[in-house]
Each structure stands twice: as structure tokens, then as C-alpha cells.
Amino acid sequence: MTPPPNKTKVHALLIGINDYREDVLLQGNLVFPKLHGCVNDAKQMLGYLQSDPSLDLQVLELYNQEATRPAIINAFRHHLAKAGKDEVVFLFYSGHGAVEQADESIWQDPRLECLVCYYDQPHAPDFLLADKELRILLKDLYDSTQAHIVTIFDCCHSGDNTRELAAAVDGNKAVRKQIDHLFPARKWPEFLFSPRFEARQFAGKNMNEVIAQAPHVQIAAAERDEAALEVNGSGVLTSFLLQSLRSCAGNLSYRDLHSRIRNQLKYRFAQKPKIYSPDTDQDLLRRGFLNKDVDPTSSHANLVYNRSRGWRIDRGSLHGVAQGITAIHLDISGEPRHFVVGEVEIDAAQVPGIQGLDKNQGYQVKLSGLTTPLLHIQLINKDFTASEFAAVADALTQEAVASFVALEDSAEQADYSLLLWRDRIYLTRPGDCFRPLFLPVRFAITNDNGESERQPDAMRELVHSLRHIATWTRLRDLNNDGADALKNGVLEVSCQQVLSDGVEKEISFDQQQKAVMHFESVSGSSNKWGGKVRIALKNTTTQQKLYVAALYASADFAVTASLLEPQVSEIEPGRTRYLRDHKQGFIRMAPEDHHYWYDVPSSVDTLKIIVSTTSFETTGLTLEGLPAPWTPDSLRSSKELEVRGKGLKLDEEEEKPPLLEGWQVLSFHLDFQNPQAGQVSPQDIQSMLEAGEELAHFATGLYFRQEGFSSKLQPFGAEVLAAKSLLWETALAIANKNAGIWRHRHYHKMRRQHPQLPMLVSEGDSWFQHPLIKDIIDYVGEKYPVYCLAEAGDTIANYLKEAEMFQALAEERPLAFLLSGGGNDILGSSMRGFLNDIFSDAPEGEQPGRFFNANFEQAIEKIMRAYRSIFEYVQRQYPQLKVFVHGYDYPKPLPAEASHKGWIGRYFTESGILRPGDRQAAVIYMMDVFNLRLSALAALFPDQVVYTDLRSTVPDHQWSDEIHPTDEGYQELALKFMGSITTQLGVKKAE
């Protein structure tokens, strides 16, 4: 039977294996455990394919005993090979993955990644389908079919269990689709392609030199060093992949699909799905799933019949539906039908002209011609628990929200970053995580006992705020590129800034219609700024009356249409009108108060001039701004703000949007410069720090730096510098206090949620408690309750002096004691006493010991005596208590020309150690001495002290500054540290 036109023919091979033989011993003592969700995964995927009326399916299913290695190979060569040019080959596999040793005299890779087919005999090559074999099967398939090939593997590819930092969510049972075993290398004749190739053809070569890769798209469940999981009878990858496809009705590119899945898994599971296409075929990743065309303006809606209003869809102006522009598309018995949307409301629209549909039935329809843009958002979880993060991620990936929010993997691809931190959710520009763009949403209230109460309207408020921003973005970017657009020049717009002396200065716009705007000091004041502008609109035609409106989209996400009175004004041919001519024709401007406190360099507002040859309405084009972030004054009245609903009108109905015919939009962007950028006084910073923990969080992030605050600040004079030094001490104390408060709340929350888990005590420095970065204990604390005493800037000598750790050990009775110390004792200003001003010459990077004097050895010895005192105390008082220590990774000193910004490079510069190789060699020398001495000391307490070597762990690109890694860098350290803890203690982590 010939398929209906426009259908995509898909040749699918679906493989699911649950029933691995646990009675067949492999390698003498090994079995693959049964799985539970793999067949279900394959059938769920089949159900999704069958639900898509645009597909003509040719399906072969192989489940359990059917999915042997010969059967899978045969399916490639006979079922999938039936595909024709530009048809789709789809391979789905859910089951175990394994790793096989590779013969390195042949393959450059030391191991082969394999699918574990069904087996009833123990000979490994008979049931392992290696990645090299799959590659050649796919190449043969493409050469014979020229089809579009997509493969999905919901399985593991390694046996490295040290990366299982996160597991299941909310107590759900998680099963790892891997075993920790390396199968021996097979003999060459045991590869399926051995009859065609000889081993010597591949020896010492990249495989591409022998046989090119097939153009294809591969989606895999995890990185090669991670476990893939199934939770509650379903593979994690499959579950979230189908959820993403259904939420957008398949209207996603492969790259966007991958981004959505990764963002939904992020912070929930320690597996990061990966997507791959050969370097020569990267364009495939922009194609839609199963090679469909992707319509970036498309979404879906439900079409229902209303007795009083006729046929209606549940999408309206907030979703970008536009009267006469948006169309709906549906398929009735193989016949495509199309209708143009009529009258549009805030969240619904009428669809006139529909005949022949069942009025008692609802229909899912595809929309095209939408005007609401997607907000591309990077989701960053700093300290939310797995279940808290899941609540946010689920809210943002609901079908209704997916129409205006797209989650991105990186800051480079995002418009905004959404941070989850200290019970609050807030939006920032990418890479600028301490300048919230509006008042943070309170997600929960956690008290000092760890009792956490989620705020019931938090997700609703967040979604409405993001919807508000999407609407604001649509209005800010409003344009008319249609056939009814007016020609350029019918309305002439001129802008002047009116200076304090009355002189009008022309405002010049660049090619992007952007102008840099500067405020003037008001009445000679140093802290009051303002200004005025005049904007003239001239009808340049000789006979055509114009109807004009002005929208002003400000940086606080407000849109006003009140610059003209009436809002849509008539301008006769040859006549001129001024904006705000009903208010003396001037528009006053002043900087936002919170821009000073948060040291915002500039902000951009947009003026939209809408001009039409026919009358129109602007009702529905006005938005109130979102509430501004806290300042010391507004924080004092925060309860009042909450009573007023934080400026959001969540339940009010908006008026109908306008219909514009024969219209044009002129855009002007005003880039307002903050006149006090970099000039926040130490006294004002201190008032932010002391106003409350909410505001102190942002002040610490913006102004907290080593030996003072950001170099952008420009105080002058000894008095101010002295205040700045005192402020550093205040900031450090407040930062440590607030971080400690949140740590203790989290500890008690973990004790309440996971009473079966053993608890840990930690003492340390900024590697265990950094006020701004997700550090080692933040990650460990996701899996165990950790009673943390660490403080940034603390020294090991001070640990002994304060003795808080000994009291905590007595009171909390932990299973383990985590200790980080010594870095602040030898790095920073103390380095001045260790470095020689005169040293012998040597080739760059060699003999680094020549830079150090005897003081360095004395400092190391002092640190080791402190460690020994701690170890001996614990040995006497708690002989069964395990102590875990580390010796730091290698710092990254800044080059000499930038060393004034850093923690350690400046001291090398002062001593004349200027060559980059010498500077790096010097810190390697320091850390090697430290680590070797600490390792040797720990070895004297073999049954109690565990030393973890963290050197060469953090990649170069994962350092936040000279001595602190980024969030991702600390995660690498935590994974290694956690590996030592779980290996030694053998305890179950939180799920």
C-alpha cells in the first residue's frame, strides 16, 4: 500500500534486553544482573513512533532472547538495509553496556565500548557487539541506502564507578546498567569485519584513514566514564527523551533535544547524555528528530468547540498567537487541514471557518506563525537538593512552558542564567550571577533546624515572571516584515538630549540603532543624576495621515504606551509631534536605584515607534515592570512587598491585543551608562553586607576579593583605604557566617530526610567552604549529612586554637572526619617570607627549589605538627573514627602583568620570579612538598587517616582564580574525594 504523501518512511530496529542470564558465569565469576526497564523503554519508544501520523513505520522488535548478536547483525543487513535514499534508519538499544580490552598494537584506543547482547554461552565475543563493529555496520548501511541514520543507546559504556556522585531522586530505586569489569581483548577473526580487513590495515592509524564514518546522529545515555541508570522501571535517558519530544510534539532539532535532556538530568543523576555526529556532518545536528523540518515558530495547542464562542485553541497573545497571522494545522483521516486564527485573547483564540469536525471531540493541532520568542535559559543549581531541583526543572519543561522557555547547556547559548541558591531562584545575565534582574523568587523557607517549607506559589510566580519576560521580549522585538509593511521614511524620528543649560544635543544612533546615553549631575550633587530628552515624530508624506503609537520597553521588563496622548495619535501630512507633548514634550530620565548598589555598568531600554496608515489599538501592550532586586532600604520593607504580591498580577485578565494593518515599527535602543559605576563606597557595601543574609549574598559575590574589593572600585585617600581594609575583614566574617548558617540548615535537612545515613564532620578552609563557589563539601553534602565548621581564609593553626572540631566530634559522633588545611598557611601574603629575592639562574621551569628559603620548610614543618596533633588526638579519643585529608591541586599563578589581581602571583612578581614556567614550577614545588609530607604523615596512622592525592585533577579551564576551582573544578575534586570516602566506609549514599 502506498503511504499517504508527505509521510516519512522510517525503518526502525528496537532492541530491549531485561532477562540477562544470571546463571551463566562469565570469566569464571561474573554475571550481568537482570534489568527491569529495557523492554519497556523500547516499547515506549515504539509507542511514540506509532503516535506520530507523519511517519510510515517499518519496525523490527528484538526483545530479550531474540536480541542475540547474530540477530542484531542480521537486522542491520536485511531489515534496516531496506531503507531508501533520504528515508530514515532508526536504531534504539536499551540494555547493558560493557568495556572490552583493545589490542593497542591495532587500535589507538586502549578499550572498546560494547553493547551486551543476549547470551546463553560465556564466550564474550559471541555476545559483545563492539563500537568498531557498529561503526562498520553503519557505514555499510549508509553506503547501500544513503538514508538518514539516527541511533539511540540507553546503556553504559564504562565501568568507572567513581563518578556516581548523584544517584536517584526522592528515594526512587536506581539500577546501574553496567558492571565493573574489563573483558579481555578478542582475537582478530572474532570481529565481524575480519573477512574484509586485515589487522595490519588499522595498525598505527586513525580508523578514518581506513574507513570513513557514516553520516549519522548518535544519542547516548552517558559519557564514557559515567553510569547510565534506570529508575522505577524506565531508562533515565529514554524517559526524559520521550518527555522532551512529547512536550514539543517532536518539533526539535537534535541539538535542542540533547540540550533539553541534559538540562533535565543535570543535578539529578551523574550521567550526562551525549550527542555525536561526525565532524564532516555537523549540519545533521540542526535537523529535526527523524530528519523532520524544524519550525522555530511552531508549537502545539488543543482545539475545542465552545457553544457560545465556536472553535477555540488554548493559546493566545502570551504564546505569540496573532490574528490573521497564526495558523493551525491538523490531519483528519490523512487529509491535511489549515485554518487562520481570528480574534485573539490573552490565553485563547477563536478559529473561524471550521467545518466537518466533531464538536464533541478535542483535537491537538500544530501552530505556525507565532510571535513569542523562546527564552534561552541556562539553569544553574548551586545548592538545591535533588528533589528541589527536580521541582524547578519539571516546572520549566512542562508543555505549556516549553513554548517560551528553552533550557541551554552553556552560557554562550543562553539569554539568561537562572540560579537556584539558598532557597531562592533568580535570573541574571549569563556569567553575571550576582546581579539579579528582578526580585528573587523565594522557593522555600528553611529554619536552623533544617525544617524546610516550600512556598506553594513559587513555581507559579517563577513561570509567570518568565512568561512576562517572554512577552516583554516579543514587544521589545516587535516588527513587521510582512507584505503590508510601510516603506521606510514615511515617519522621521529625531532625538535630542536636553542638557542642564538648556542646549539640545543631537543623539546619534549607530547602524544597530543604538545610542550611548549619559546622565548629568543634578544641581551639582555627587549622588543625584538625571536628564531630559526630546523626541520628535514628523510625517514626511504630503497627503497620507499617519497613526502613531510609542512603546517604551525598559530594562526592568516594563512596557509603557503612555508617551503619547491619546496612545494612538494622528499626525497630519507634513506635521510634527513630540512624545510627551501633553507633559511639556520632555521625557525625564534617571538611573535606577538598584543599579548603584549592584554596580550595574549600563542598561539598555528600547523605544518602539509604531506607525500605521489605519487606526489601531494599543490596549494589551502595556506591562508593569518586575519588582527590582533588594537594596538596603527595600529589604527592610520586604514583607510589605510580599503582601503586595511582588508586583505580579498573576490572576488578572489582560485586554485584547491590537490588530495592526499597513504598519511599521521603528526601533531605537538607549544604552544608559551608570554614572557611579565602580564607585560604590565601602560604607554602602558594608550596609549591604549587614542588611540581611539575602542582600549580603549578592554583596559578597559582587565585592568580595582578596585583600580588598573589586579593582573596579575607585576610592581615594588613606582614610578610605583604611575603611576598605576593615571592610575586607567584615565581608569575610559575614560571608563565613552566612555560609555557615546555610551549611548547618542543609545538614539538619539531610538528617531529617535521610536519618539512616551516617553523618560526617568537616573542618577546613575555602576548599571546604567557599562563599561563592560550589566547593567540595557542597558536593559531599548532597550525599551525606556533613556538619561543617570550615571557613574561608582559616588556617590550620587556628583550627587547634578554636578547637571547635573537637567539640563537634564529641557532640555529633560522626562516622568520619574530613579535614582540609594548610593552604592559607603557605599561600598568600605569607609567601613573602618564603621567597628569595636573589636566586641562582637556571633554564625556565627548572630547579624551582632555588626560589625558596628555609622559612618555607619551617612553615611546612609547623603545619605537619598541627596535623600530627589532630591525628593523635583523634587516635586517642576516637580510635575507630576515619580521618580524610587532602593536599590540594596545583594552583595556577597569574602571569606577571596581571598578578596584581591574584592571590599568589603578586608575590612571585615582587621577588622577581617573572617567567611563566618558573612561576608554575614554583607552585608545583610547593604543593609537591606539602603533599609528600602530608602523605608520609598519614601513613604513620594507617588504620585511621586516609590521604587523597588531588594533584593534577582540575583541568586548566576549570579554575575560577589562582587557587580556587570553578563549580565544575570542585566537582572533579569532590568525585575523587568521595571515591576515597565510599571505598573506605563502604556506606550507602543518599538517594
Side-chain angles (χ1 to χ4, degrees):
M1 179 178 177
T2 304
N6 301 321
K7 284 205 171 189
T8 300
K9 194 165 188 177
V10 177
H11 301 261
L13 173 59
L14 303 172
I15 304 168
I17 309 175
N18 291 337
D19 297 336
Y20 286 95
R21 292 283 297 271
E22 294 182 335
D23 60 334
V24 177
L25 289 182
L26 311 175
Q27 305 298 308
N29 61 354
L30 171 72
V31 297
F32 279 96
K34 291 182 182 294
L35 296 170
H36 305 284
C38 299
V39 173
N40 178 59
D41 288 346
K43 290 185 175 181
Q44 288 289 323
M45 182 59 68
L46 175 61
Y48 172 77
L49 298 175
Q50 291 173 333
S51 70
D52 188 340
S54 70
L55 303 181
D56 173 27
L57 290 176
Q58 307 293 319
V59 180
L60 175 62
E61 301 168 76
L62 297 177
Y63 299 138
N64 294 323
Q65 294 87 344
E66 302 168 336
T68 63
R69 184 173 184 268
I72 293 173
I73 295 170
N74 184 68
F76 266 86
R77 292 174 171 171
H78 296 93
H79 171 65
L80 296 180
K82 294 177 183 177
K85 189 177 188 307
D86 297 327
E87 294 179 348
V88 175
V89 165
F90 178 69
L91 169 65
F92 176 86
Y93 171 85
S94 182
H96 274 300
V99 181
E100 176 184 302
Q101 187 175 359
D103 184 342
E104 294 191 59
S105 68
I106 302 173
W107 310 111
Q108 292 185 339
D109 197 340
R111 63 184 190 177
L112 305 180
E113 297 163 1
C114 306
L115 306 183
V116 182
C117 310
Y118 182 81
Y119 58 85
D120 52 21
Q121 297 295 328
H123 188 228
D126 292 346
F127 61 82
L128 296 181
L129 188 58
D131 52 1
K132 310 297 185 188
E133 296 175 305
L134 279 168
R135 172 172 169 154
I136 290 180
L137 284 171
L138 290 173
K139 183 64 166 65
D140 290 346
L141 192 60
Y142 180 77
D143 288 346
S144 65
T145 65
Q146 300 293 296
H148 176 89
I149 301 174
V150 56
T151 63
I152 298 175
F153 298 106
D154 197 342
C155 62
C156 294
H157 291 276
S158 80
D160 186 350
N161 65 358
T162 63
R163 297 195 64 88
E164 196 187 356
L165 185 62
V169 179
D170 295 336
N172 294 334
K173 184 178 180 182
V175 180
R176 298 166 66 229
K177 295 182 175 181
Q178 71 177 46
I179 60 172
D180 302 333
H181 181 78
L182 181 64
F183 285 91
R186 69 180 74 181
K187 297 176 182 178
W188 184 259
E190 293 174 318
F191 286 104
L192 70 88
F193 47 76
S194 59
R196 294 168 50 192
F197 299 97
E198 297 181 9
R200 61 181 177 82
Q201 291 178 261
F202 295 93
K205 297 179 181 178
N206 184 295
M207 198 170 179
N208 285 333
E209 299 177 52
V210 182
I211 182 168
Q213 292 194 72
H216 73 288
V217 175
Q218 174 183 294
I219 299 175
E223 302 282 359
R224 64 184 298 170
D225 54 355
E226 295 170 345
L229 302 177
E230 64 172 35
V231 176
N232 291 342
S234 182
V236 167
L237 170 69
T238 302
S239 176
F240 285 96
L241 183 145
L242 290 175
Q243 179 180 322
S244 296
L245 287 172
R246 286 168 178 151
S247 71
C248 296
N251 185 46
L252 281 171
S253 70
Y254 289 112
R255 196 184 300 279
D256 288 342
L257 175 61
H258 172 250
S259 179
R260 282 178 180 266
I261 298 169
R262 279 181 71 107
N263 274 280
Q264 291 181 79
L265 296 188
K266 203 173 183 180
Y267 308 114
R268 300 193 197 190
F269 305 97
Q271 71 179 81
K272 296 185 286 294
K274 62 180 182 179
I275 190 167
Y276 172 79
S277 191
D279 290 341
T280 55
D281 302 290
Q282 289 295 294
D283 285 348
L284 288 175
L285 299 182
R286 290 193 284 270
R287 295 292 300 162
F289 185 66
L290 301 181
N291 204 30
K292 293 182 179 181
D293 291 328
V294 178
D295 181 358
T297 68
S298 175
S299 184
H300 282 71
N302 295 306
L303 176 68
V304 296
Y305 184 78
N306 181 285
R307 291 183 179 179
S308 61
R309 304 300 298 276
W311 287 100
R312 293 161 58 80
I313 55 172
D314 59 350
R315 295 290 185 268
S317 61
L318 284 178
H319 304 88
V321 175
Q323 183 171 347
I325 298 174
T326 302
I328 72 165
H329 310 270
L330 70 163
D331 192 294
I332 304 297
S333 302
E335 178 186 354
R337 307 281 296 274
H338 313 282
F339 302 94
V340 176
V341 167
E343 184 180 356
V344 179
E345 302 168 20
I346 186 66
D347 57 359
Q350 290 181 284
V351 187
I354 291 181
Q355 300 290 334
L357 298 186
D358 184 349
K359 295 180 180 180
N360 296 314
Q361 178 182 341
Y363 299 86
Q364 187 181 59
V365 297
K366 183 177 179 180
L367 304 181
S368 63
L370 298 176
T371 59
T372 299
L374 278 173
L375 300 179
H376 296 270
I377 293 177
Q378 177 196 23
L379 192 56
I380 301 175
N381 182 18
K382 298 292 281 191
D383 64 2
F384 275 33
T385 65
S387 62
E388 291 169 342
F389 172 79
V392 179
D394 288 345
L396 296 180
T397 52
Q398 295 296 314
E399 181 177 356
V401 182
S403 65
F404 60 90
V405 169
L407 298 180
E408 298 293 350
D409 236 9
S410 67
E412 291 75 20
Q413 297 171 317
D415 303 314
Y416 303 99
S417 294
L418 191 67
L419 285 98
L420 318 182
W421 209 346
R422 297 188 175 177
D423 278 352
R424 285 174 175 79
I425 307 172
Y426 62 93
L427 200 73
T428 72
R429 299 294 178 189
D432 194 12
C433 62
F434 293 100
R435 291 190 177 98
L437 297 176
F438 60 89
L439 191 67
V441 173
R442 185 187 290 272
F443 175 81
I445 298 175
T446 304
N447 65 22
D448 292 343
N449 295 320
E451 297 169 327
S452 185
E453 180 183 357
R454 294 190 188 180
Q455 301 302 286
D457 288 334
M459 290 300 93
R460 186 163 172 260
E461 183 180 340
L462 174 64
V463 168
H464 274 83
S465 296
L466 296 177
R467 192 191 302 272
H468 178 109
I469 295 173
T471 306
W472 174 88
T473 303
R474 173 170 58 85
L475 296 176
R476 182 200 62 182
D477 298 338
L478 184 66
N479 207 350
N480 183 15
D481 297 320
D484 60 345
L486 296 179
K487 65 179 183 179
N488 292 330
V490 296
L491 186 75
E492 182 181 274
V493 180
S494 59
C495 305
Q496 289 81 30
Q497 183 168 357
V498 183
L499 304 179
S500 56
D501 58 6
V503 174
E504 295 191 6
K505 177 184 176 183
E506 187 74 22
I507 298 173
S508 60
F509 292 85
D510 61 18
Q511 291 183 343
Q512 286 73 44
Q513 292 299 96
K514 186 175 184 179
V516 176
M517 305 291 292
H518 295 279
F519 297 102
E520 285 189 295
S521 176
V522 176
S523 303
S525 171
S526 61
N527 59 2
K528 292 188 181 296
W529 302 84
K532 295 187 294 186
V533 295
R534 278 170 63 93
I535 300 177
L537 314 175
K538 181 179 180 180
N539 182 345
T540 63
T541 68
T542 57
Q543 298 181 348
Q544 179 67 58
K545 180 196 297 184
L546 298 178
Y547 297 85
V548 179
L551 300 181
Y552 193 78
S554 53
D556 63 349
F557 304 111
V559 178
T560 180
S562 60
L563 297 178
L564 284 171
E565 180 60 42
Q567 291 186 2
V568 178
S569 295
E570 301 176 14
I571 304 181
E572 298 293 336
R575 302 297 298 270
T576 297
R577 283 203 62 174
Y578 289 91
L579 296 185
R580 299 280 288 181
D581 55 6
H582 56 297
K583 297 286 186 180
Q584 292 82 47
F586 296 112
I587 303 175
R588 299 189 180 276
M589 58 186 194
E592 294 285 347
D593 184 46
H594 71 274
H595 287 181
Y596 166 76
W597 293 100
Y598 290 83
D599 197 34
V600 177
S602 64
S603 62
V604 178
D605 295 352
T606 297
L607 174 66
K608 312 289 289 191
I609 307 297
I610 305 171
V611 54
S612 174
T613 56
T614 58
S615 181
F616 59 93
E617 294 293 329
T618 58
T619 51
L621 292 183
T622 299
L623 293 174
E624 291 188 19
L626 293 175
W630 285 302
T631 66
D633 291 336
S634 65
L635 183 58
R636 296 186 192 100
S637 58
S638 60
K639 290 185 179 180
E640 179 186 350
L641 289 175
E642 292 177 2
V643 170
R644 294 205 308 263
K646 297 186 178 179
L648 296 177
K649 296 185 177 180
L650 303 182
D651 298 314
E652 292 187 10
E653 187 77 6
E654 294 190 22
E655 297 181 29
K656 297 175 183 177
L659 170 64
L660 303 177
E661 297 178 353
W663 56 286
Q664 179 186 34
V665 180
L666 306 175
S667 300
F668 303 90
H669 308 288
L670 306 175
D671 187 358
F672 291 101
Q673 304 299 299
N674 181 355
Q676 295 176 286
Q679 297 178 27
V680 184
S681 71
Q683 293 77 16
D684 283 340
I685 295 172
Q686 184 156 345
S687 71
M688 292 180 73
L689 291 167
E690 296 175 346
E693 63 184 39
E694 298 93 343
L695 191 52
H697 168 76
F698 297 107
T700 303
L702 287 170
Y703 304 117
F704 183 87
R705 296 291 185 273
Q706 183 252 3
E707 288 193 0
F709 290 78
S710 169
S711 59
K712 294 181 298 181
L713 303 180
Q714 301 170 6
F716 298 96
E719 181 180 345
V720 175
L721 290 174
K724 201 176 172 189
S725 177
L726 177 62
L727 185 56
W728 160 254
E729 300 297 333
T730 301
L732 184 59
I734 292 175
N736 281 324
K737 176 184 175 182
N738 288 333
I741 288 171
W742 282 98
R743 277 281 171 80
H744 286 307
R745 289 176 184 172
H746 182 76
Y747 164 73
H748 289 298
K749 183 191 294 185
M750 288 290 288
R751 294 295 301 271
R752 287 178 176 276
Q753 293 179 355
H754 305 284
Q756 80 284 2
L757 291 178
M759 58 80 58
L760 316 177
V761 165
S762 69
E763 175 65 282
D765 48 24
S766 56
W767 276 42
F768 272 16
Q769 193 277 93
H770 195 293
L772 310 176
I773 302 173
K774 191 169 184 178
D775 54 58
I776 292 175
I777 298 301
D778 283 323
Y779 287 105
V780 176
E782 291 178 351
K783 308 313 298 176
Y784 301 105
V786 183
Y787 188 86
C788 183
L789 301 167
E791 292 187 352
D794 212 350
T795 64
I796 194 165
N798 197 51
Y799 305 167
L800 285 168
K801 179 181 177 182
E802 298 292 338
E804 289 180 304
M805 55 186 171
F806 299 139
Q807 181 180 350
L809 294 177
E811 294 176 352
E812 302 297 329
R813 293 289 176 176
L815 186 66
F817 177 39
L818 316 183
L819 186 60
S820 173
N824 292 315
D825 300 73
I826 60 172
L827 298 176
S829 59
S830 58
M831 291 173 60
R832 285 195 174 105
F834 305 154
L835 299 173
N836 292 319
D837 293 329
I838 301 175
F839 41 81
S840 59
D841 194 19
E844 183 175 354
E846 297 184 11
Q847 303 176 29
R850 62 198 165 98
F851 301 128
F852 296 89
N853 58 38
N855 293 334
F856 176 62
E857 172 58 31
Q858 293 171 9
I860 292 291
E861 181 58 34
K862 184 177 179 181
I863 294 169
M864 293 305 132
R865 286 198 301 271
Y867 267 111
R868 181 186 288 271
S869 296
I870 296 171
F871 296 164
E872 290 175 345
Y873 176 88
V874 173
Q875 187 180 56
R876 290 192 306 271
Q877 300 295 323
Y878 311 102
Q880 303 303 316
L881 180 65
K882 288 286 187 181
V883 181
F884 293 88
V885 298
H886 70 86
Y888 304 98
D889 202 346
Y890 297 121
K892 303 296 177 186
L894 290 171
E897 60 272 17
S899 61
H900 62 284
K901 301 178 181 178
W903 297 76
I904 57 178
R906 64 177 64 188
Y907 306 112
F908 290 144
T909 302
E910 290 175 5
S911 296
I913 306 170
L914 304 178
R915 296 184 299 187
D918 289 339
R919 296 161 80 90
Q920 190 60 49
V923 296
I924 291 174
Y925 174 83
M926 295 176 73
M927 290 298 103
D928 282 345
V929 170
F930 185 94
N931 275 272
L932 291 173
R933 293 289 295 277
L934 183 58
S935 175
L937 178 60
L940 300 178
F941 303 83
D943 298 326
Q944 195 157 21
V945 179
V946 180
Y947 159 79
T948 301
D949 188 353
L950 298 181
R951 287 174 292 178
S952 300
T953 299
V954 181
D956 288 346
H957 68 281
Q958 290 183 354
W959 287 85
S960 176
D961 55 39
E962 291 180 302
I963 64 174
H964 299 109
T966 61
D967 288 3
E968 294 77 13
Y970 271 124
Q971 184 179 34
E972 297 296 327
L973 298 169
L975 288 164
K976 187 174 286 189
F977 205 59
M978 282 279 288
S980 297
I981 295 172
T982 54
T983 299
Q984 290 291 323
L985 301 185
V987 295
K988 187 178 180 182
K989 297 168 287 184
E991 294 183 349

